[in-house]
Amino acid sequence: MTKRQSRDERGPRLDPHTVVRTALELLDEKGLEALSTRAVADRLGVRMNTVLWHVKTKTRLLELMADAVLGEIPLDGLPGTPDERVRELARRLRRALLAHRDGAALVVGTYGAEPHTLRFADALVGALLDSGRDGREAAWTAWTITYFALGLAQEEQAASTQALPGRLARAVSPTSHPALHRVREHLDADSFGERFEFGLAAILTPPGAAGGPGA
């Protein structure tokens, strides 16, 4: 009898939470492409069917992992001013995504109707409503902030594993890309924090308002 058989026959005390945390550990170590239910089972020392009994499918595992990432966002200690609360929630979302290898790619690839995800979304939409925005503007601004944070975080995490700094600027031609050539000094893959703050301000500043980005 193998060690794995012995553990499976005893009925290892697993639950979805343990499976998800183990999967996140593997994500941090090996990245999203290497993640599989078999790899999770091997790490836990059980059969793959045991893992699938708790999470059903790999798709469901990824959904639970994404929700666990957003569950790491603290919702206490937020600013009292609604607009500042929105900004702080957006920053905390970005930090949570960057805290895990391929965290943004993981969340992008899932449908977020899960408890922690909805809890964060409710806090973000609530802050936007408190700022005086109507229902549609609050909902759509929350989507815009979320997609912006996901996209930029995904680019940042890709840049950390690829030789991207300066690559875009080097590809720009003064004859073929005159506009890009004029701004090539700003096409810096390392300025993610500044770009995030700029983009967040642009999203939250009403069109034509004084003091917007670059004003």
Side-chain angles (χ1 to χ4, degrees):
M1 180 181 296
T2 67
K3 180 179 180 181
R4 178 178 297 182
Q5 288 173 327
S6 178
R7 289 187 62 180
D8 279 353
E9 289 172 4
R10 290 199 307 269
R13 295 188 176 183
L14 288 182
D15 54 36
H17 174 78
T18 302
V19 173
V20 169
R21 295 317 304 180
T22 301
L24 286 172
E25 291 173 4
L26 286 170
L27 177 73
D28 291 338
E29 292 175 15
K30 300 183 178 181
L32 189 57
E33 288 189 4
L35 184 70
S36 67
T37 52
R38 184 174 299 281
V40 174
D42 287 344
R43 173 62 62 91
L44 289 168
V46 299
R47 294 186 179 92
M48 188 169 65
N49 284 345
T50 303
V51 170
L52 292 175
W53 191 86
H54 290 285
V55 297
K56 309 308 178 187
T57 65
K58 181 180 178 181
T59 298
R60 182 58 180 156
L61 172 62
L62 294 175
E63 289 175 347
L64 293 171
M65 290 171 64
D67 190 55
V69 169
L70 267 68
E72 295 171 1
I73 301 174
L75 298 182
D76 57 344
L78 291 165
T81 305
D83 275 346
E84 286 305 313
R85 193 155 78 246
V86 172
R87 288 180 170 83
E88 179 58 23
L89 284 167
R91 291 169 186 141
R92 292 184 186 187
L93 170 61
R94 176 173 180 259
R95 287 196 293 269
L97 296 171
L98 295 176
H100 291 278
R101 180 175 174 178
D102 295 334
L106 168 68
V107 176
V108 164
T110 60
Y111 183 75
E114 301 297 331
H116 295 307
T117 304
L118 293 175
R119 177 171 161 264
F120 172 80
D122 189 71
L124 181 59
V125 171
L128 289 162
L129 288 171
D130 290 345
S131 71
R133 293 169 171 86
D134 63 27
R136 188 182 78 161
E137 187 178 5
W140 288 7
T141 301
W143 279 123
T144 303
I145 291 171
T146 301
Y147 288 137
F148 169 62
L150 285 167
L152 192 60
Q154 193 169 6
E155 180 186 343
E156 183 171 357
Q157 292 185 312
S160 69
T161 59
Q162 303 174 30
L164 293 183
R167 179 177 175 182
L168 180 57
R170 290 193 300 271
V172 168
S173 162
T175 53
S176 300
H177 322 103
L180 287 174
H181 190 263
R182 287 176 58 187
V183 301
R184 65 189 183 281
E185 64 183 290
H186 303 295
L187 305 178
D188 181 4
D190 292 330
S191 56
F192 291 103
E194 294 174 78
R195 287 161 58 188
F196 179 79
E197 292 297 332
F198 181 91
L200 186 58
I203 293 169
L204 296 175
T205 301

